[in-house]
């Protein structure tokens, strides 16, 4: 069983590493951002509520976010592990997660923090494109698809996320530094935190994370 959290500012490369890690370890990829975007596409009640926050770069309220994660982690496919991407993002979410993982008897083993400086984050986010269908991330200069604007994985069209604009990014980074970064201390104290340099080669970073997991599994 492998249970892990991927943390880091927007643009650090969480989504890219998450896709690779879940393939390697055959565990579900639980991205709260993807879950909200899915709900927005479906125009469900959750989607209508979440859109108001997401488009401007604000965080969706904790009670709403905690509830969708509680429901998701209770599903059968999480019995052999999970990878949380983009959750928790606040101290109350981390505390709720402790309760949830106790209930399901599958505590978090690894908190992987991927970091990069602000200039690099802005460069990555402004050139980011994602597959509309499977949300695989690309970059217009450094991670191009084989065929322009077409996803290598599923053939879906590539789009720019509504919140990947300069104004929303500034708000998202503000939330990250004020609300999410304090979680690093929270997890450091519990001995679960492992930090990595997100600016290095993607394959090198993947290998470093996998070595850590495999040495401590
Ligand atoms: P992401 O795809 O992780 O960058 O998330 C996109 C947006 O979804 C964020 O900017 C928030 O508006 C919302 N979101 C995702 N995860 C959370 C969370 N754990 N708590 C609150 N809002 C979230």
């Amino acid at each position: 069983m492998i249970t892990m959290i991927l943390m880091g500012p927007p643009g650090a490369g969480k989504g890219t590493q998450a896709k690779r890690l879940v393939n390697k370890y055959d565990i579900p990829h639980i991205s709260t951002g993807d879950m909200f975007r899915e709900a927005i596409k479906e125009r469900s009640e959750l989607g209508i509520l979440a859109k108001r926050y997401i488009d401007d770069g604000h965080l969706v309220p904790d009670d709403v976010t905690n509830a969708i994660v509680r429901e998701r982690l209770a599903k059968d496919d999480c019995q052999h592990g999970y990878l949380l991407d983009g959750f928790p993002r606040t101290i109350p979410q981390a505390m709720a997660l402790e309760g949830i993982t106790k209930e399901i008897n599958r505590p978090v083993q690894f908190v992987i923090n991927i970091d990069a400086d602000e200039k690099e984050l802005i460069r990555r986010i402004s050139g980011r494109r994602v597959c509309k269908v499977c949300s695989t991330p690309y970059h217009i200069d450094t991670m191009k698809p084989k065929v322009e604007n077409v996803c290598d994985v599923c053939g879906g069209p590539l789009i720019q996320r509504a919140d990947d604009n300069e104004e929303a990014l500034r708000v998202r980074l503000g939330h990250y530094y004020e609300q999410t970064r304090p979680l690093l201390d929270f997890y450091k104290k519990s001995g679960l935190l492992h930090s990595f340099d997100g600016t290095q080669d993607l394959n090198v970073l993947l290998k470093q994370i996998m070595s850590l997991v495999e040495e401590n599994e």
Side-chain angles (χ1 to χ4, degrees):
M1 182 177 78
I2 293 173
T3 58
M4 60 167 95
I5 299 175
L6 280 195
M7 283 189 60
K14 296 187 297 292
T16 304
Q17 295 299 333
K19 296 259 180 213
R20 294 160 175 229
L21 289 163
V22 297
N23 278 337
K24 295 272 178 202
Y25 297 127
D26 198 21
I27 49 177
H29 177 193
I30 304 180
S31 155
T32 38
D34 282 351
M35 289 161 84
F36 288 133
R37 282 184 288 275
E38 206 48 49
I40 291 172
K41 253 195 254 166
E42 287 165 3
R43 297 199 167 86
S44 66
E45 215 173 297
L46 170 70
I48 292 163
L49 182 143
K51 189 170 165 47
R52 296 210 315 261
Y53 297 93
I54 294 180
D55 282 358
D56 295 334
H58 292 297
L59 293 180
V60 177
D62 286 337
D63 55 345
V64 176
T65 310
N66 293 342
I68 65 164
V69 173
R70 167 171 275 112
E71 196 180 311
R72 182 65 188 85
L73 280 175
K75 295 211 164 132
D76 279 352
D77 64 342
C78 296
Q79 265 178 12
H80 303 294
Y82 52 81
L83 181 151
L84 285 166
D85 165 8
F87 181 93
R89 262 176 156 98
T90 65
I91 295 277
Q93 289 182 11
M95 292 172 62
L97 180 63
E98 279 199 340
I100 297 168
T101 55
K102 264 198 197 119
E103 278 163 30
I104 61 170
N105 201 20
R106 281 183 287 286
V108 173
Q109 296 167 296
F110 305 98
V111 177
I112 311 287
N113 176 44
I114 305 178
D115 215 347
D117 64 55
E118 198 165 321
K119 208 170 136 207
E120 176 64 7
L121 299 173
I122 292 168
R123 188 196 69 78
R124 288 185 182 187
I125 294 278
S126 49
R128 175 156 74 178
R129 298 291 181 272
V130 293
C131 173
K132 192 176 176 188
V133 180
C134 73
S135 68
T136 296
Y138 296 88
H139 188 278
I140 52 170
D141 298 322
T142 49
M143 227 174 14
K144 295 181 184 174
K146 292 193 185 95
V147 178
E148 203 179 338
N149 284 321
V150 179
C151 177
D152 293 346
V153 179
C154 75
L158 305 191
I159 54 157
Q160 184 166 31
R161 275 171 46 172
D163 58 345
D164 276 352
N165 63 71
E166 214 180 306
E167 205 172 310
L169 177 60
R170 247 189 301 115
V171 177
R172 285 157 70 199
L173 283 171
H175 286 301
Y176 174 75
Y177 291 119
E178 281 161 32
Q179 284 168 281
T180 310
R181 222 176 160 83
L183 282 180
L184 298 182
D185 253 356
F186 179 92
Y187 286 120
K188 203 184 220 167
K189 283 189 189 126
S190 49
L192 297 177
L193 184 73
H194 305 273
S195 286
F196 295 89
D197 173 5
T199 60
Q200 56 188 332
D201 176 82
L202 293 176
N203 293 318
V204 173
L205 177 56
L206 179 67
K207 277 205 185 116
Q208 289 175 356
I209 299 173
M210 286 175 59
S211 303
L212 167 86
V213 169
E214 282 151 31
E215 279 161 23
N216 294 282
E217 210 187 325

